[in-house]
Amino acid sequence: MPSRLLAGATLLSLIAFAVPPLAAQEAVPPPATPGPVTAPAQEDKPAPYDQQLSRLAEILGSLHYLRTLCGETSDAWRTAMQDLLNADTESEPKRRERLTAAFNRGYRSFAAVHTTCTDAARTAEERHRNEGATLAGEIAARFGN
C-alpha cells in the first residue's frame, strides 16, 4: 500500500499545482507468467477507496480533454495516471480496466459537450481540478499510513 500512497501523493501535487493534461492511454495488461493462477475473488476484491479512485480517474479524463482543448500539450498527467495505475492495479487487470474506463468516460463526457475552448470549458476545468485535488487529498489522508 505505501507505493499506492506515493502515487496518490504525486497525483495530488500535480493536481494542486495545475500541471498540464493527462493523455488517455490503453491499459496494457501485465505479461503472462507461468505459475499459479490468481483466484478471481482476489483479483476482483475492491480496495476500500475504489469508488473515490474511480471518480478521480474520471476527473482526470475530463481535465485531460479540457486542458488539451484549451491548448496545453504535456504528458505529465498521463505519466501520473500511469504511475497510479501501475502502483494500485499492478496485479489486478479488472481494476485497471475499470479505472481506465472511468478515465475514458470523463474524457468522452466533455468531448461530447465542448468543441472549442470557451469560458465555460475553462470554468469546468478549474472546478474539476479543485475536486480532483480535494479527492486525492482525502484518499491519501484516509487510507494512507
Side-chain angles (χ1 to χ4, degrees), residues 16-72:
F17 294 110
V19 174
L22 166 69
Q25 184 174 354
E26 283 289 319
V28 178
T33 56
V37 176
T38 305
Q42 281 184 329
E43 186 176 301
D44 289 335
K45 184 179 180 184
Y49 50 88
D50 268 359
Q51 186 175 2
Q52 294 97 330
L53 198 58
S54 181
R55 175 62 184 149
L56 183 58
E58 192 171 328
I59 288 169
L60 291 171
S62 301
L63 288 172
H64 168 61
Y65 177 77
L66 292 168
R67 296 187 89 179
T68 301
L69 180 68
C70 291
E72 294 198 29

Side-chain angles (χ1 to χ4, degrees), residues 20-143:
L22 166 69
Q25 184 174 354
E26 283 289 319
V28 178
T33 56
V37 176
T38 305
Q42 281 184 329
E43 186 176 301
D44 289 335
K45 184 179 180 184
Y49 50 88
D50 268 359
Q51 186 175 2
Q52 294 97 330
L53 198 58
S54 181
R55 175 62 184 149
L56 183 58
E58 192 171 328
I59 288 169
L60 291 171
S62 301
L63 288 172
H64 168 61
Y65 177 77
L66 292 168
R67 296 187 89 179
T68 301
L69 180 68
C70 291
E72 294 198 29
T73 57
S74 172
D75 68 347
W77 288 108
R78 174 183 40 216
T79 301
M81 184 65 181
Q82 191 62 53
D83 290 347
L84 183 63
L85 286 172
N86 291 343
D88 205 66
T89 63
E90 183 177 7
S91 62
E92 300 169 288
K94 289 187 180 185
R95 283 186 70 230
R96 184 181 201 95
E97 288 174 18
R98 285 192 299 268
L99 291 175
T100 300
F103 178 90
N104 291 335
R105 186 173 48 254
Y107 183 96
R108 288 186 201 112
S109 69
F110 278 88
V113 176
H114 297 279
T115 57
T116 59
C117 184
T118 62
D119 287 341
R122 286 195 267 309
T123 299
E125 183 274 334
E126 181 181 356
R127 288 180 180 165
H128 276 72
R129 188 171 22 89
N130 290 337
E131 182 184 353
T134 300
L135 195 52
E138 288 172 359
I139 291 169
R142 183 167 182 202
F143 300 102

